């Protein structure tokens, strides 16, 4: 069904039926109507986020889940209850063969990265330092160092760049020997 303007006369076209005559109604016979749509959406907080009553203007932090035209905001801890998704923290570790001086490695990484801080010996068994507060470099033995980090996109990027830097430092050390 659609409205057509033919020779200045508005006509409502109701269909095309092959066995019946076409039916046309003049615009005078068509009642006027208007549709109004509410553009506001409402989302309900559920489980842990619903335990506390929010004040006007107070913000809430969580996941927005749109299911069957209803919006719900839930905490990360509640995600496994309402979906088949799960969240995990992954700690990664890599050991690299490194026969250079640990102090030289720290000095070179300080030249490349903005934030390199030593860790106290109580926190790590032996010399260690942190790069960008995300990656820990530990001295394991005279021939090995290890890198430890929690996996997330930024930490993975920092660890990749530190690993490449260490390998380049190793190439420089072996080329001068």
């Amino acid at each position: 069904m659609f409205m057509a303007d033919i020779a200045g006369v508005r006509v409502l076209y109701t269909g095309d039926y092959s066995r019946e005559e076409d039916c046309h109604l003049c615009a005078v016979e068509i009642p006027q109507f208007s549709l109004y749509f509410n553009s506001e959406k409402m989302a309900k907080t559920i489980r842990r986020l619903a335990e506390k009553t929010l004040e006007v203007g107070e913000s809430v932090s969580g996941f927005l889940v749109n299911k069957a035209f209803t919006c719900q905001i839930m905490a990360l801890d509640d995600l496994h209850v309402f979906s088949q998704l799960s969240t995990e923290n992954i700690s990664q570790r890599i050991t690299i063969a490194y026969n250079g001086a640990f102090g030289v490695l720290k000095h070179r990484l300080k030249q490349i990265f903005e934030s390199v801080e030593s860790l106290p010996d109580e926190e790590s068994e032996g010399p260690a330092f942190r790069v960008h507060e995300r990656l820990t470099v530990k001295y394991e033995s005279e021939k090995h160092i290890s890198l430890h980090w929690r996996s997330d996109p930024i930490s993975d990027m920092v660890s990749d760049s530190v690993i490449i830097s260490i390998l380049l430092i190793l190439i420089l050390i072996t080329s001068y020997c």
Side-chain angles (χ1 to χ4, degrees):
M1 184 183 322
F2 63 90
M3 178 72 72
D5 191 0
I6 303 172
V9 177
R10 290 177 39 197
V11 176
L12 177 65
Y13 185 75
T14 59
D16 184 18
Y17 303 101
S18 59
R19 299 195 198 284
E20 297 179 19
E21 285 188 36
D22 290 344
C23 178
H24 299 281
L25 300 174
C26 292
V28 178
E29 301 172 15
I30 302 170
Q32 290 201 356
F33 65 93
S34 298
L35 297 175
Y36 297 100
F37 295 98
N38 185 0
S39 62
E40 292 182 13
K41 291 208 177 220
M42 182 183 300
K44 296 179 181 179
T45 56
I46 54 176
R47 301 264 310 183
R48 291 187 186 155
L49 292 179
E51 291 174 356
K52 178 185 170 196
T53 304
L54 297 174
E55 299 296 325
V56 176
E58 190 176 352
S59 64
V60 64
S61 178
F63 284 99
L64 178 65
V65 178
N66 191 353
K67 184 178 179 183
F69 301 105
T70 61
C71 296
Q72 299 172 333
I73 301 174
M74 67 179 71
L76 176 63
D77 299 337
D78 297 331
L79 188 61
H80 71 280
V81 175
F82 291 97
S83 70
Q84 295 176 353
L85 299 174
S86 64
T87 57
E88 298 295 330
N89 289 325
I90 300 173
S91 296
Q92 295 195 41
R93 176 183 179 197
I94 186 169
T95 302
I96 301 174
Y98 181 80
N99 56 1
F102 194 67
V104 171
L105 175 65
K106 181 179 176 186
H107 176 72
R108 293 291 184 204
L109 290 177
K110 270 188 180 179
Q111 291 176 333
I112 298 170
F113 300 99
E114 293 176 0
S115 174
V116 176
E117 293 118 16
S118 295
L119 291 177
D121 287 337
E122 307 88 47
E123 194 173 314
S124 61
E125 300 86 32
F129 57 88
R130 283 191 87 97
V131 179
H132 285 294
E133 299 178 359
R134 294 182 172 272
L135 173 83
T136 304
V137 180
K138 289 184 180 180
Y139 179 78
E140 297 290 337
S141 69
E142 293 178 6
K143 297 190 180 210
H144 296 95
I145 58 171
S146 63
L147 282 65
H148 305 262
W149 70 95
R150 286 215 181 266
S151 185
D152 63 61
I154 295 173
S155 297
D156 291 343
M157 182 179 63
V158 170
S159 68
D160 289 344
S161 59
V162 168
I163 291 168
I164 291 172
S165 300
I166 291 171
L167 295 176
L168 289 174
I169 291 169
L170 280 172
I171 290 171
L172 290 173
I173 289 172
T174 56
S175 65
Y176 287 119
C177 294

